[in-house]
Amino acid sequence: MRSRRWFERRRIGLGFRPVCAQGWLITFLTAAAVIAVLALLRASAARIPIVVLIFAAYSAVALATGGSKLPVVARPPEPPAEAEQEEAADPVGARPAPVRRPARRGSLPSGEPALVVEHLTKRFEERLAVDDVSFSVATGEVFGFLGPNGAGKTTTVRMLATLIEPTSGGGRVAGVPLDAANGVAIRKRIAVMTENPGLYLRLTVRENLELFAGLYDVADPRERIERALASVNLAGRAGDSCGSLSKGLRQRVAIARALLSDPEIVFLDEPTSGLDPVASREVHAVIDDLRDRGVTVFLTTHRLEEAERLCDRVAILNTSLRTIGRTDELRDRLFRKMLLVTTAAPIADPARVFAGVPGLTDWQSVDTTGYELAVTDTERAAPAVARALVAAGADILSLAERQHSLEDIYLELITDDAEASAR
């Protein structure tokens, strides 16, 4: 027996609306049959009766497969007065409220990584796209995957999503071995949101989600749709057509679509590309909420400040894996610890002043009143530097640790690659 309807009666106007893959297939075949009859029997008087018979058959199928009743559309609950006052005070909406839902029934035992990649390699004829990449991603982690255009990021995601086969190597995705034979099992556990949301703009938000819930064969689609809309704070916009939404709201609809299957891992490819700061902030809040709910997020982005703000760890790829770790670990790995000192006037004998500072390994002048000090421990060296400068009669304008951003780390590695390839 069928587990769900193929068609629904339109609430406004006449006719039926497909709500699953079977309904859309029958609609397509009906349209093709009408076009064929009109084209082949152009000069025949029988074409009109035949077209009428086709539409009658289509209506009979629609009625028999669920279109005899009007759909019952649940209205989203009205927000309380306090929530309305908070929204008026903060129109941006700092963060959607987390959704209470049952504990995740994932396939992973406690402590097992969500992703394990082992020597993954992909070659397209003579071009090496991904070269011997290995890493793992913890369950519930937001993992940043960074690299220049053509570095192999999208190719890696497509291999992990079983859309293309690796040339060599393998791994495990949500506990399932990465193999073509396990493609369906892996895709049931993951969701992929590409840079282009790919929504049907003439359908409403809810209708888009109903369509994809049917394609995904989601159990309890109504409850899943309500949960996904609440997750991205769009319950109040469910009846709006996607064509009327801003790009930021469409991105949130695309994230809601990705959450319909209750995935263990969500791959987000440039989710804030082309968005203004307000829309980006809303998408960031959704990603934070996914982390709080234990969903593993694999984020590819060109926005380095975004990766630094959102990601627990980052990997930098340039065909091969250049580095991986927390941002603070990468700073310590690539750069020396530095103190930046500015004085009101040049120091008469800086070498003598800095000679007694514990842990100081090197220093150099910057302009006439600035100094860069390389140290082994900034917390231990900074007070000693201040005491030495005061003892020498110097007036200190500033004393601070140099902070290297993720952009500095990224440019250091990518520039090294560019210089090596130019040799």
Side-chain angles (χ1 to χ4, degrees):
M1 293 182 65
R2 289 179 294 102
S3 60
R4 61 182 185 276
R5 293 178 292 179
W6 292 3
F7 292 87
E8 286 183 348
R9 286 277 302 279
R10 295 187 183 276
R11 298 183 66 84
I12 300 175
L14 302 176
F16 308 93
R17 180 171 60 85
V19 293
C20 69
Q22 294 92 329
W24 284 104
L25 177 62
I26 291 172
T27 301
F28 173 79
L29 293 176
T30 300
V34 171
I35 293 172
V37 167
L38 294 177
L40 296 176
L41 302 179
R42 197 179 316 171
S44 173
R47 62 177 184 165
I48 300 303
I50 294 176
V51 169
V52 172
L53 287 174
I54 292 174
F55 278 116
Y58 175 78
S59 299
V61 171
L63 287 169
T65 56
S68 57
K69 296 180 180 180
L70 284 172
V72 179
V73 180
R75 293 184 60 188
E78 293 294 332
E82 293 180 0
E84 292 178 351
Q85 293 172 0
E86 291 175 0
E87 185 175 352
D90 182 10
V92 173
R95 176 175 178 147
V99 179
R100 296 187 178 274
R101 65 179 194 173
R104 295 184 56 79
R105 299 187 301 275
S107 60
L108 293 172
S110 176
E112 181 174 343
L115 273 174
V116 178
V117 177
E118 298 173 340
H119 306 291
L120 203 62
T121 300
K122 182 62 179 179
R123 183 181 292 275
F124 296 97
E125 297 181 353
E126 299 301 317
R127 185 174 70 85
L128 185 61
V130 178
D131 182 18
D132 194 26
V133 170
S134 299
F135 60 87
S136 64
V137 179
T139 301
E141 182 178 15
V142 177
F143 185 78
F145 207 49
L146 315 177
N149 292 329
K153 304 187 301 298
T154 300
T155 300
T156 301
V157 171
R158 293 177 68 192
M159 287 189 284
L160 296 177
T162 71
L163 301 178
I164 59 175
E165 290 191 49
T167 303
S168 62
R172 297 179 69 83
V173 180
V176 181
L178 183 59
D179 185 85
N182 297 326
V184 173
I186 289 175
R187 291 193 291 271
K188 284 182 177 180
R189 291 166 170 80
I190 68 172
V192 180
M193 194 198 91
T194 58
E195 182 178 349
N196 184 358
L199 302 170
Y200 292 92
L201 301 184
R202 297 180 65 181
L203 299 181
T204 67
V205 171
R206 188 184 300 279
E207 287 170 341
N208 267 278
L209 297 183
E210 288 173 347
L211 170 62
F212 285 100
L215 293 175
Y216 298 156
D217 199 20
V218 171
D220 299 322
R222 188 185 303 277
E223 189 261 341
R224 286 281 183 89
I225 289 170
E226 296 300 333
R227 183 193 304 167
L229 287 171
S231 296
V232 297
N233 204 20
L234 279 180
R237 305 296 295 272
D240 295 356
S241 69
C242 285
S244 67
L245 302 179
S246 66
K247 185 172 182 181
L249 291 178
R250 290 181 198 172
Q251 291 290 79
R252 286 161 59 186
V253 176
I255 295 175
R257 181 185 65 193
L259 299 179
L260 283 175
S261 58
D262 198 19
E264 297 172 39
I265 305 172
V266 177
F267 293 89
L268 301 179
D269 187 10
E270 299 287 344
T272 59
S273 176
L275 300 187
D276 60 45
V278 172
S280 296
R281 181 184 174 188
E282 292 172 346
V283 173
H284 293 171
V286 174
I287 294 174
D288 282 335
D289 186 53
L290 291 176
R291 186 212 322 264
D292 293 343
R293 292 158 49 197
V295 179
T296 304
V297 178
F298 193 96
L299 173 69
T300 63
T301 179
H302 283 109
R303 294 186 172 185
L304 301 180
E305 74 286 353
E306 176 177 81
E308 189 164 18
R309 176 246 184 270
L310 290 173
C311 298
D312 300 300
R313 291 187 303 146
V314 297
I316 297 178
L317 184 77
N318 197 9
T319 303
S320 61
L321 190 64
R322 299 293 288 110
T323 192
I324 184 171
R326 298 197 311 269
T327 304
D328 55 349
E329 293 175 341
L330 301 183
R331 288 192 192 101
D332 293 342
R333 197 182 305 169
L334 292 174
F335 300 104
R336 295 188 298 175
K337 294 180 182 295
M338 303 288 292
L339 289 174
L340 303 180
V341 178
T342 305
T343 56
I347 301 174
D349 189 359
R352 180 185 60 81
V353 173
F354 297 139
V357 175
L360 188 144
T361 60
D362 192 15
W363 68 274
Q364 64 178 357
S365 298
V366 181
D367 296 326
T368 57
T369 59
Y371 304 90
E372 287 185 347
L373 312 180
V375 297
T376 56
D377 185 343
T378 54
E379 291 186 1
R380 181 169 172 234
V385 170
R387 287 193 295 268
L389 290 171
V390 171
D395 294 325
I396 304 172
L397 298 182
S398 66
L399 172 59
E401 181 182 1
R402 168 177 280 179
Q403 294 291 340
H404 291 278
S405 67
L406 182 57
E407 182 177 3
D408 296 328
I409 298 169
Y410 178 89
L411 292 177
E412 177 79 10
L413 293 170
I414 299 305
T415 301
D416 286 348
D417 288 348
E419 291 175 352
S421 63
R423 294 192 185 106

Coordinates of all heavy atoms in Angstrom, one line a residue, residues 199-274:
L199 N 16.4 26.1 -5.2 CA 15.1 26.1 -4.7 C 14.1 26.4 -5.9 O 14.5 27.0 -6.9 CB 14.8 27.0 -3.6 CG 15.7 26.9 -2.4 CD1 15.5 28.0 -1.4 CD2 15.3 25.5 -1.7
Y200 N 12.9 25.9 -5.8 CA 11.8 26.3 -6.8 C 11.2 27.6 -6.4 O 10.5 27.6 -5.4 CB 10.8 25.2 -6.9 CG 11.4 23.9 -7.5 CD1 11.9 22.9 -6.7 CD2 11.4 23.7 -8.9 CE1 12.4 21.7 -7.2 CE2 11.9 22.5 -9.4 CZ 12.4 21.6 -8.6 OH 13.0 20.4 -9.1
L201 N 11.5 28.6 -7.1 CA 11.2 30.0 -6.7 C 9.7 30.3 -6.7 O 9.2 31.2 -6.0 CB 11.9 31.0 -7.5 CG 13.4 30.9 -7.5 CD1 14.1 32.1 -8.3 CD2 14.0 30.9 -6.0
R202 N 8.9 29.6 -7.5 CA 7.5 29.8 -7.6 C 6.7 29.0 -6.5 O 5.5 29.2 -6.3 CB 6.9 29.4 -9.0 CG 7.6 30.3 -10.1 CD 7.0 29.9 -11.4 NE 5.6 30.2 -11.6 CZ 4.9 30.0 -12.7 NH1 5.5 29.5 -13.8 NH2 3.6 30.3 -12.7
L203 N 7.4 28.1 -5.8 CA 6.7 27.4 -4.7 C 7.0 28.1 -3.4 O 8.0 28.9 -3.3 CB 7.3 26.0 -4.6 CG 7.0 25.1 -5.8 CD1 7.6 23.7 -5.6 CD2 5.5 25.0 -6.2
T204 N 6.2 27.9 -2.4 CA 6.4 28.5 -1.1 C 7.5 27.8 -0.4 O 7.9 26.7 -0.8 CB 5.1 28.5 -0.3 OG1 4.8 27.1 0.0 CG2 3.9 29.1 -1.0
V205 N 7.9 28.3 0.7 CA 9.0 27.7 1.5 C 8.5 26.3 1.9 O 9.2 25.3 1.8 CB 9.3 28.5 2.8 CG1 10.2 27.7 3.7 CG2 9.9 29.8 2.4
R206 N 7.3 26.2 2.4 CA 6.7 24.9 2.9 C 6.6 23.9 1.7 O 6.9 22.7 1.8 CB 5.4 25.1 3.6 CG 4.8 23.8 4.2 CD 3.4 24.0 4.8 NE 3.5 25.1 5.8 CZ 3.9 24.9 7.1 NH1 4.3 23.7 7.5 NH2 3.8 25.9 8.0
E207 N 6.1 24.4 0.6 CA 6.0 23.5 -0.6 C 7.3 23.0 -1.1 O 7.4 21.8 -1.5 CB 5.3 24.3 -1.7 CG 3.8 24.5 -1.5 CD 3.1 25.5 -2.5 OE1 3.9 26.2 -3.1 OE2 1.9 25.5 -2.6
N208 N 8.4 23.8 -1.0 CA 9.7 23.3 -1.4 C 10.1 22.2 -0.4 O 10.6 21.1 -0.9 CB 10.7 24.4 -1.3 CG 10.9 25.1 -2.6 OD1 11.7 24.7 -3.5 ND2 10.3 26.3 -2.8
L209 N 9.9 22.4 0.9 CA 10.3 21.4 1.8 C 9.4 20.1 1.7 O 9.9 19.0 1.9 CB 10.2 21.9 3.3 CG 11.1 23.1 3.6 CD1 11.0 23.5 5.0 CD2 12.6 22.8 3.2
E210 N 8.1 20.3 1.4 CA 7.3 19.1 1.2 C 7.7 18.3 0.0 O 7.7 17.1 0.0 CB 5.8 19.6 1.0 CG 5.1 20.1 2.2 CD 3.8 20.7 2.0 OE1 3.5 20.9 0.8 OE2 3.0 20.9 2.9
L211 N 8.1 19.0 -1.1 CA 8.6 18.3 -2.3 C 9.8 17.5 -2.0 O 9.9 16.3 -2.3 CB 8.9 19.4 -3.4 CG 9.6 18.8 -4.6 CD1 8.8 17.8 -5.3 CD2 9.9 20.0 -5.6
F212 N 10.8 18.1 -1.3 CA 12.1 17.4 -1.1 C 11.9 16.3 0.0 O 12.6 15.3 0.0 CB 13.2 18.4 -0.7 CG 13.7 19.2 -1.8 CD1 13.2 20.5 -2.1 CD2 14.6 18.6 -2.7 CE1 13.7 21.2 -3.2 CE2 15.1 19.3 -3.8 CZ 14.6 20.6 -4.1
A213 N 11.0 16.5 0.9 CA 10.7 15.5 1.9 C 10.1 14.3 1.2 O 10.4 13.1 1.6 CB 9.7 16.0 3.0
G214 N 9.3 14.5 0.2 CA 8.8 13.4 -0.6 C 9.9 12.7 -1.4 O 10.0 11.4 -1.5
L215 N 10.8 13.5 -2.0 CA 12.0 12.9 -2.7 C 12.9 12.1 -1.8 O 13.4 11.0 -2.2 CB 12.8 14.0 -3.4 CG 12.0 14.7 -4.6 CD1 12.9 15.8 -5.1 CD2 11.7 13.7 -5.7
Y216 N 13.1 12.6 -0.6 CA 13.9 11.9 0.4 C 13.2 10.7 1.1 O 13.9 10.0 1.9 CB 14.4 12.9 1.5 CG 15.2 14.0 1.0 CD1 15.3 15.2 1.7 CD2 15.9 13.9 -0.2 CE1 16.1 16.3 1.2 CE2 16.7 15.0 -0.7 CZ 16.8 16.2 0.0 OH 17.5 17.2 -0.4
D217 N 11.9 10.6 0.9 CA 11.1 9.5 1.5 C 11.2 9.7 3.1 O 11.4 8.7 3.8 CB 11.6 8.1 1.1 CG 10.5 7.1 1.4 OD1 9.4 7.4 1.6 OD2 10.9 5.9 1.5
V218 N 11.0 10.9 3.5 CA 11.1 11.2 4.9 C 9.9 10.7 5.7 O 8.8 10.9 5.3 CB 11.3 12.7 5.2 CG1 11.1 13.1 6.6 CG2 12.6 13.2 4.6
A219 N 10.2 10.0 6.8 CA 9.1 9.6 7.7 C 8.5 10.8 8.5 O 9.3 11.6 8.9 CB 9.5 8.5 8.6
D220 N 7.2 10.8 8.7 CA 6.6 12.0 9.4 C 7.1 13.3 8.8 O 7.6 14.1 9.5 CB 7.0 11.9 10.9 CG 6.5 10.7 11.6 OD1 5.4 10.2 11.2 OD2 7.2 10.1 12.4
P221 N 6.8 13.6 7.5 CA 7.3 14.8 6.9 C 6.8 16.1 7.5 O 7.5 17.0 7.6 CB 6.9 14.7 5.4 CG 5.7 13.7 5.5 CD 6.0 12.7 6.6
R222 N 5.5 16.1 8.0 CA 5.0 17.3 8.6 C 5.8 17.7 9.8 O 6.2 18.9 10.0 CB 3.5 17.1 8.9 CG 2.8 18.4 9.4 CD 1.4 18.1 9.8 NE 0.6 17.4 8.7 CZ 0.0 18.0 7.7 NH1 0.1 19.3 7.7 NH2 -0.6 17.3 6.8
E223 N 6.0 16.7 10.7 CA 6.8 17.1 11.9 C 8.2 17.5 11.6 O 8.8 18.4 12.2 CB 6.8 15.8 12.8 CG 7.3 16.1 14.2 CD 8.7 15.6 14.4 OE1 9.2 14.8 13.5 OE2 9.4 16.1 15.3
R224 N 8.8 16.8 10.6 CA 10.2 17.1 10.2 C 10.3 18.5 9.6 O 11.2 19.3 9.9 CB 10.7 16.1 9.2 CG 11.1 14.8 9.8 CD 12.4 14.8 10.5 NE 12.7 13.4 11.0 CZ 13.4 12.5 10.2 NH1 13.8 12.8 9.0 NH2 13.7 11.4 10.7
I225 N 9.3 18.9 8.8 CA 9.3 20.2 8.2 C 9.2 21.3 9.3 O 9.9 22.3 9.2 CB 8.2 20.3 7.1 CG1 8.5 19.4 5.9 CG2 7.9 21.8 6.7 CD1 7.4 19.3 4.9
E226 N 8.3 21.1 10.2 CA 8.1 22.1 11.3 C 9.4 22.2 12.1 O 9.8 23.3 12.5 CB 6.9 21.7 12.2 CG 5.6 21.7 11.5 CD 5.2 23.0 11.0 OE1 5.6 24.1 11.5 OE2 4.4 23.0 10.0
R227 N 10.0 21.1 12.4 CA 11.3 21.1 13.1 C 12.4 21.9 12.3 O 13.1 22.7 12.9 CB 11.7 19.7 13.4 CG 13.0 19.6 14.3 CD 13.5 18.2 14.3 NE 12.5 17.3 14.7 CZ 12.7 15.9 14.6 NH1 13.8 15.4 14.0 NH2 11.8 15.1 15.0
A228 N 12.5 21.6 11.0 CA 13.5 22.2 10.2 C 13.3 23.7 10.1 O 14.2 24.5 10.2 CB 13.5 21.6 8.8
L229 N 12.0 24.1 9.9 CA 11.7 25.6 9.8 C 12.0 26.3 11.2 O 12.5 27.4 11.1 CB 10.2 25.7 9.5 CG 9.7 25.4 8.1 CD1 8.2 25.4 8.0 CD2 10.4 26.4 7.1
A230 N 11.7 25.6 12.3 CA 12.1 26.2 13.6 C 13.6 26.3 13.8 O 14.1 27.3 14.4 CB 11.4 25.4 14.7
S231 N 14.3 25.3 13.2 CA 15.8 25.3 13.4 C 16.4 26.6 12.7 O 17.4 27.1 13.2 CB 16.4 24.1 12.8 OG 15.9 22.9 13.5
V232 N 15.8 27.0 11.6 CA 16.4 28.2 10.9 C 15.6 29.4 11.1 O 15.7 30.4 10.4 CB 16.5 27.9 9.4 CG1 17.5 26.7 9.2 CG2 15.2 27.6 8.8
N233 N 14.7 29.4 12.1 CA 13.9 30.5 12.5 C 13.0 31.1 11.3 O 13.0 32.3 11.0 CB 14.8 31.7 13.0 CG 14.0 32.6 13.9 OD1 13.0 32.3 14.4 ND2 14.6 33.8 14.1
L234 N 12.4 30.1 10.6 CA 11.6 30.5 9.4 C 10.1 30.1 9.5 O 9.4 30.1 8.5 CB 12.2 30.0 8.1 CG 13.4 30.8 7.5 CD1 13.9 30.1 6.3 CD2 13.0 32.2 7.2
A235 N 9.7 29.7 10.7 CA 8.3 29.2 10.8 C 7.3 30.2 10.3 O 6.3 29.9 9.7 CB 8.0 28.7 12.2
G236 N 7.6 31.5 10.6 CA 6.7 32.5 10.2 C 6.7 32.9 8.7 O 5.8 33.6 8.3
R237 N 7.6 32.3 8.0 CA 7.7 32.6 6.5 C 7.4 31.4 5.7 O 7.6 31.4 4.5 CB 9.1 33.1 6.2 CG 9.6 34.3 7.0 CD 8.8 35.6 6.7 NE 8.9 36.0 5.4 CZ 9.9 36.9 4.9 NH1 10.8 37.3 5.8 NH2 9.9 37.3 3.7
A238 N 6.8 30.4 6.3 CA 6.6 29.1 5.6 C 5.6 29.3 4.4 O 5.8 28.6 3.4 CB 6.0 28.1 6.5
G239 N 4.7 30.3 4.4 CA 3.8 30.5 3.3 C 4.3 31.4 2.2 O 3.6 31.6 1.2
D240 N 5.5 32.0 2.4 CA 6.0 32.9 1.4 C 6.6 32.2 0.2 O 7.3 31.1 0.4 CB 7.0 33.9 2.0 CG 6.4 34.8 3.1 OD1 5.2 34.7 3.2 OD2 7.2 35.5 3.7
S241 N 6.5 32.7 -1.0 CA 7.2 32.0 -2.1 C 8.7 32.3 -2.0 O 9.1 33.4 -1.5 CB 6.6 32.6 -3.4 OG 7.0 34.0 -3.6
C242 N 9.5 31.3 -2.4 CA 10.9 31.4 -2.3 C 11.4 32.6 -3.2 O 12.5 33.2 -2.9 CB 11.6 30.1 -2.6 SG 11.5 28.9 -1.3
G243 N 10.7 32.9 -4.3 CA 11.1 34.0 -5.1 C 11.0 35.3 -4.5 O 11.7 36.3 -4.9
S244 N 10.3 35.4 -3.4 CA 10.1 36.7 -2.8 C 11.1 36.9 -1.6 O 11.1 38.0 -1.0 CB 8.7 36.9 -2.2 OG 8.5 35.9 -1.1
L245 N 11.9 35.9 -1.3 CA 12.8 36.0 -0.2 C 14.2 36.5 -0.6 O 14.6 36.4 -1.8 CB 13.1 34.6 0.4 CG 11.8 33.8 0.9 CD1 12.2 32.4 1.4 CD2 11.1 34.6 1.9
S246 N 14.9 37.1 0.3 CA 16.2 37.6 0.1 C 17.2 36.4 -0.1 O 16.8 35.3 0.3 CB 16.7 38.5 1.2 OG 16.8 37.7 2.4
K247 N 18.4 36.7 -0.5 CA 19.3 35.5 -0.7 C 19.7 34.9 0.6 O 19.8 33.7 0.7 CB 20.6 36.0 -1.4 CG 21.6 34.9 -1.7 CD 22.7 35.3 -2.6 CE 23.6 34.1 -2.9 NZ 24.8 34.5 -3.7
G248 N 19.8 35.7 1.7 CA 20.1 35.2 3.0 C 19.0 34.2 3.5 O 19.3 33.2 4.0
L249 N 17.7 34.6 3.3 CA 16.6 33.8 3.7 C 16.6 32.5 2.8 O 16.2 31.4 3.4 CB 15.3 34.5 3.6 CG 15.1 35.7 4.6 CD1 13.7 36.4 4.4 CD2 15.2 35.1 6.0
R250 N 16.9 32.6 1.6 CA 16.9 31.4 0.7 C 18.0 30.4 1.2 O 17.8 29.2 1.2 CB 17.2 31.8 -0.7 CG 16.0 32.5 -1.4 CD 16.4 32.8 -2.9 NE 15.5 33.8 -3.4 CZ 15.7 34.4 -4.6 NH1 16.7 34.0 -5.3 NH2 14.8 35.3 -5.0
Q251 N 19.1 31.0 1.7 CA 20.2 30.1 2.2 C 19.7 29.4 3.4 O 20.0 28.2 3.6 CB 21.4 30.9 2.6 CG 22.2 31.5 1.4 CD 22.9 30.5 0.6 OE1 22.3 29.8 -0.2 NE2 24.2 30.3 0.8
R252 N 18.9 30.1 4.2 CA 18.3 29.4 5.4 C 17.3 28.3 5.0 O 17.2 27.3 5.7 CB 17.7 30.5 6.4 CG 18.8 31.3 7.1 CD 18.3 32.6 7.7 NE 17.2 32.4 8.6 CZ 16.5 33.4 9.1 NH1 16.8 34.7 8.8 NH2 15.5 33.2 10.0
V253 N 16.5 28.6 4.0 CA 15.6 27.6 3.5 C 16.4 26.3 3.0 O 16.0 25.2 3.3 CB 14.7 28.1 2.3 CG1 13.9 27.0 1.8 CG2 13.9 29.2 2.8
A254 N 17.5 26.6 2.3 CA 18.4 25.5 1.8 C 18.9 24.7 3.0 O 19.0 23.4 2.9 CB 19.5 26.0 0.9
I255 N 19.3 25.4 4.1 CA 19.8 24.6 5.3 C 18.6 23.8 5.9 O 18.8 22.7 6.3 CB 20.4 25.6 6.3 CG1 21.6 26.3 5.7 CG2 20.7 24.9 7.6 CD1 22.2 27.4 6.6
A256 N 17.4 24.4 5.9 CA 16.3 23.6 6.4 C 16.0 22.4 5.6 O 15.7 21.3 6.1 CB 15.0 24.5 6.4
R257 N 16.2 22.5 4.3 CA 16.0 21.4 3.4 C 17.1 20.3 3.7 O 16.8 19.1 3.7 CB 16.2 21.8 1.9 CG 16.0 20.7 0.9 CD 16.3 21.2 -0.5 NE 17.7 21.6 -0.6 CZ 18.1 22.3 -1.7 NH1 17.3 22.7 -2.6 NH2 19.4 22.6 -1.7
A258 N 18.3 20.8 4.0 CA 19.4 19.8 4.3 C 19.1 19.1 5.6 O 19.5 17.9 5.8 CB 20.7 20.5 4.4
L259 N 18.3 19.7 6.5 CA 18.1 19.1 7.8 C 16.9 18.2 7.8 O 16.6 17.5 8.8 CB 17.8 20.2 8.9 CG 19.0 21.2 9.1 CD1 18.6 22.2 10.1 CD2 20.2 20.4 9.6
L260 N 16.2 18.1 6.7 CA 14.9 17.3 6.7 C 15.2 15.8 7.0 O 14.4 15.2 7.6 CB 14.3 17.4 5.3 CG 13.5 18.7 5.0 CD1 13.0 18.7 3.6 CD2 12.3 18.8 6.0
S261 N 16.4 15.3 6.5 CA 16.6 13.9 6.7 C 17.3 13.6 8.1 O 17.8 12.5 8.3 CB 17.5 13.4 5.6 OG 18.7 14.2 5.5
D262 N 17.4 14.6 8.9 CA 18.0 14.5 10.3 C 19.4 13.9 10.1 O 19.8 12.9 10.7 CB 17.2 13.6 11.1 CG 17.5 13.7 12.6 OD1 18.1 14.8 13.0 OD2 17.2 12.8 13.4
P263 N 20.3 14.6 9.3 CA 21.6 14.1 9.0 C 22.6 14.1 10.2 O 22.4 14.9 11.1 CB 22.1 15.0 7.9 CG 21.5 16.3 8.2 CD 20.1 16.0 8.7
E264 N 23.5 13.2 10.2 CA 24.6 13.2 11.2 C 25.7 14.2 10.8 O 26.4 14.7 11.7 CB 25.1 11.8 11.4 CG 24.1 10.8 11.9 CD 24.6 9.4 11.9 OE1 25.8 9.2 12.3 OE2 23.8 8.5 11.6
I265 N 25.9 14.3 9.5 CA 26.9 15.2 9.0 C 26.3 16.1 8.0 O 25.6 15.7 7.1 CB 28.1 14.4 8.4 CG1 28.7 13.4 9.3 CG2 29.2 15.4 7.9 CD1 29.7 12.5 8.7
V266 N 26.6 17.4 8.0 CA 26.1 18.4 7.1 C 27.3 19.0 6.4 O 28.2 19.6 7.1 CB 25.2 19.5 7.7 CG1 24.8 20.5 6.7 CG2 24.0 18.9 8.4
F267 N 27.4 18.9 5.1 CA 28.4 19.6 4.3 C 27.8 20.9 3.8 O 26.9 20.9 3.0 CB 28.8 18.7 3.1 CG 29.5 17.4 3.5 CD1 28.8 16.3 3.7 CD2 30.9 17.4 3.6 CE1 29.4 15.1 4.1 CE2 31.5 16.2 4.0 CZ 30.8 15.1 4.2
L268 N 28.5 22.0 4.1 CA 28.0 23.3 3.7 C 29.1 23.9 2.8 O 30.2 24.2 3.3 CB 27.8 24.2 4.9 CG 26.7 23.8 5.9 CD1 26.6 24.8 7.1 CD2 25.4 23.6 5.3
D269 N 28.8 24.2 1.6 CA 29.7 24.7 0.6 C 29.5 26.2 0.4 O 28.5 26.6 -0.2 CB 29.6 24.0 -0.7 CG 30.7 24.4 -1.7 OD1 31.6 25.1 -1.3 OD2 30.6 24.0 -2.9
E270 N 30.3 27.1 1.0 CA 30.2 28.5 0.9 C 28.8 29.0 1.2 O 28.1 29.7 0.4 CB 30.5 29.0 -0.6 CG 31.9 28.6 -1.0 CD 33.0 29.5 -0.4 OE1 32.6 30.5 0.2 OE2 34.2 29.1 -0.4
P271 N 28.3 28.7 2.5 CA 26.9 29.0 2.8 C 26.6 30.5 2.9 O 25.5 30.9 2.8 CB 26.7 28.4 4.2 CG 28.1 28.3 4.7 CD 29.0 28.1 3.6
T272 N 27.7 31.4 3.0 CA 27.5 32.8 3.1 C 28.0 33.6 1.9 O 28.1 34.8 2.0 CB 28.1 33.4 4.4 OG1 29.6 33.1 4.4 CG2 27.6 32.7 5.7
S273 N 28.3 32.9 0.8 CA 28.8 33.5 -0.4 C 27.8 34.5 -0.9 O 26.6 34.2 -1.1 CB 29.1 32.5 -1.4 OG 29.5 33.1 -2.6
G274 N 28.2 35.8 -1.1 CA 27.3 36.8 -1.6 C 26.3 37.4 -0.6 O 25.5 38.2 -1.0

